Each structure stands twice: as structure tokens, then as C-alpha cells.
Amino acid sequence: MVFFCACLAFSLVFLEIYARSRLGSTPAGQALSRYQPYGRAHAVFLGSSLTDAGIRVGQLDSLQRMKPDGYRSFNLALAGLSGSDNYYLLFRNFILPRSTPRFLVVEAPGIPFFPPAEPFDPMGNALRVESFRTDLMGYADLRYLADGWPGPAGMLAFWMHKHWRAYHYRLELQARLRERLQGWERNKPADAVNSYRMATDAYARFAEGTREHIRRLEIPGEGMRTLHGRNAHLLDLAAAANAAGVRLVVLKPPCPPMDQVTARSRAFAEYLRGFKSVCDSLGVAYLDLSLEEECGPYSYSDGIHLDVAGAEAFTACVSRMLPLPLPQPLISRP
């Protein structure tokens, strides 16, 4: 028993030393390190791999330089960094302490700002890139986003993430150890057709997730109730942007498995009318660039993510349609 406890303690100490010495950068950290505005007028794009694939920063900056009041763009999107709670944390605790952008452009595919039915979890969805959440959060943020006391288990887990680096980055450690021991990433051939290596059932899963949200929308009053709820974060994000003098833009990129489901739903059409009305009242711009007649034709690498030609068309459309005025919002969240 003593020997077992000694081995366990040694393993934990070794993991902690390894984590503190080797985990200087993570996928999320590498994505966020792109943000170096140096006081220049700029726009920040937040979202998932849809925006990561769709926004070509060099092309966008080139197009914007032709305008009288052009700006520089920073694409901080990455698979796992989407979601209204992540946008709120990144804007309040990462972007604003460094600089004030002219535009904050947040991705909202499918049903914009329709929150999940599950309560807020500071640890996210068990994705290795989501370790940044607890890096940016304090205990006040935890209580706010959890809409109150998260319970003893939630507080203990959050404390462990804040103070035990090996536990905090356990998913990153597992991934790196697997790559070292099995040569998994090093020996895997590059996939030129599907650069994001989506699983073969990804298209169906995207569609089914959207259908599940549609089923919730069909409950009378559910759409507006959730949109105005705290866990949608639209009102709070808009209030923070307005207070900082930042124009908040909600960008709906093309995502065929989601768009095919929403296009057939009356409940979604009703929700979208209410969503646009709320955006107008908050001074939030809503850009739906999912329709090919607006920007297309689009082409995809895997049926979900835009390929090079599709991204060029999408980026050019963003440059044309991104609004320049900063209107006064009609209402704000108290």
C-alpha cells in the first residue's frame, strides 16, 4: 500500500513538472496569439472551424486597404472556440484588456445564439482546446456564467483547474503522450481533400444537432425565452461591446447540414424574425452570408468547410457587407 501511494505521488509530481515545463502553448493559445493589434484599427473574428476556414485574412486586409477607413483583421477562430459563452469570455477577459477593436464579428451558424439545454460547464465539452476557458475565468465569472452558485463539485473542479496544471491540461497531455508513444499525428498522412479531417458521420451529426434545436424551437415561446435568457449571452455581449464602443456583428457562415434543416423550418423562420428585431434594438449587425445568391457559389473541402475557392468568395462578400457605421443602440442590458 505504501509502495502504491509512493508511486502515485511520484507520477502526479512528474506530470505536474512535465505540464509546467512543456505546456507553454496549446492549440487555443496558438490561435489567440494571432491577436497583436498594436493600437491599429482592426476587426476580430471569433468562431469555430467554419470561420477559420472561411476568412482569409490576407485577402480581407487587402480589400479593406482600398477603403477610406480600412482596418486590419484578426481571425481567432478555431474548432472548439465557438459558443456564446466563449465569445463573452474572450471579449471581456482577453480582447478588451489588450486593445479595442472596431468590429467584433462572432460566428453564429445554424440557429444564431440559441443556447444549449445543458447548464454552463466551465470545463466545456471535453475538447482539448477549451482549456482556455478556465484560464480566462475568475470566481466572479464562474458565478455569473453559471447563473449562481455552481455547487461544491463545480467549485472544486474549477479550483483544481486553476491551481493544478496537469489536471487543467489533462486532455492536452493525453493527446501529446499519444502522439509521442504511437506516432499518431506524425505518421498520419495529410488529407488534401478534407483538411479538417471530419469524421464520416459529421454531416449527419451536424444536421441532427440542428434538428434537435428545431424541436426545442417548436415549443411555444421557447425561442424568445432562451434568446433573452442569460445563457444566450447576446444581450450581455452587446452591452459590453456598446460600452467599449465596439460594433458587434453576428455572422452566419454557410454550413450545408445546418442550413438545409433550418430552411425547411417555420419555427426557425419565426425565431429569426425575432432575433433580427432584438439585434436591431441592440445596435447589433446581423449578416447572413449562408445564401449562395448573396455571395456564392460556394465550394467545400468536406461538405461542411469552405475550400480555397469558397473561402475567397466568402471573404470578398464579408468585405463588401461588413458595416462601417456605429449606430446608437435603442436598449441595453442593465
Side-chain angles (χ1 to χ4, degrees), residues 74-142:
F74 294 92
N75 187 357
L76 308 186
L78 182 70
L81 295 189
S82 61
S84 58
D85 48 1
N86 289 344
Y87 300 154
Y88 181 83
L89 285 172
L90 286 167
F91 182 61
R92 286 286 301 270
N93 297 346
F94 178 80
I95 294 171
L96 283 182
R98 289 161 176 79
S99 188
T100 303
R102 179 180 299 174
F103 300 108
L104 175 68
V105 186
V106 297
E107 170 196 300
I111 304 174
F113 278 82
F114 192 66
E118 300 79 17
F120 172 79
D121 184 349
M123 276 55 79
N125 298 311
L127 300 174
R128 61 188 284 198
V129 298
E130 288 189 314
S131 59
F132 83 94
R133 291 160 67 102
T134 43
D135 283 337
L136 294 179
M137 292 170 59
Y139 289 98
D141 294 309
L142 175 63

Side-chain angles (χ1 to χ4, degrees), residues 41-209:
H42 62 284
V44 176
F45 290 81
L46 299 178
S48 70
S49 56
L50 298 177
T51 297
D52 185 28
I55 294 294
R56 298 175 64 84
V57 170
Q59 176 190 352
L60 187 57
D61 288 348
S62 177
L63 293 170
Q64 289 304 128
R65 279 195 293 269
M66 302 176 187
K67 298 181 178 181
D69 50 355
Y71 54 85
R72 186 176 181 187
S73 305
F74 294 92
N75 187 357
L76 308 186
L78 182 70
L81 295 189
S82 61
S84 58
D85 48 1
N86 289 344
Y87 300 154
Y88 181 83
L89 285 172
L90 286 167
F91 182 61
R92 286 286 301 270
N93 297 346
F94 178 80
I95 294 171
L96 283 182
R98 289 161 176 79
S99 188
T100 303
R102 179 180 299 174
F103 300 108
L104 175 68
V105 186
V106 297
E107 170 196 300
I111 304 174
F113 278 82
F114 192 66
E118 300 79 17
F120 172 79
D121 184 349
M123 276 55 79
N125 298 311
L127 300 174
R128 61 188 284 198
V129 298
E130 288 189 314
S131 59
F132 83 94
R133 291 160 67 102
T134 43
D135 283 337
L136 294 179
M137 292 170 59
Y139 289 98
D141 294 309
L142 175 63
R143 289 192 298 271
Y144 169 75
L145 292 170
D147 202 14
W149 170 252
M155 288 297 293
L156 177 62
F158 184 68
W159 184 89
M160 292 169 68
H161 271 272
K162 297 297 285 186
H163 301 287
W164 186 0
R165 193 172 179 85
Y167 179 81
H168 178 57
Y169 289 115
R170 64 192 186 282
L171 296 175
E172 181 71 18
L173 279 169
Q174 291 171 10
R176 294 194 182 191
L177 288 173
R178 184 171 66 248
E179 291 165 10
R180 281 180 175 273
L181 296 176
Q182 301 177 2
W184 179 77
E185 190 69 28
R186 182 172 57 255
N187 298 328
K188 191 170 183 178
D191 189 340
V193 176
N194 183 358
S195 59
Y196 287 91
R197 296 172 180 165
M198 298 296 290
T200 54
D201 64 339
Y203 198 100
R205 287 190 288 106
F206 272 57
E208 180 53 38

Side-chain angles (χ1 to χ4, degrees), residues 83-86 88 113-121 144-147 216 222 225-236 333:
S84 58
D85 48 1
N86 289 344
Y88 181 83
F113 278 82
F114 192 66
E118 300 79 17
F120 172 79
D121 184 349
Y144 169 75
L145 292 170
D147 202 14
R216 287 175 56 200
E222 178 72 2
R225 184 186 69 79
T226 56
L227 181 59
H228 285 85
R230 170 169 285 182
N231 61 346
H233 300 108
L234 175 61
L235 275 65
D236 295 309
R333 193 182 187 94

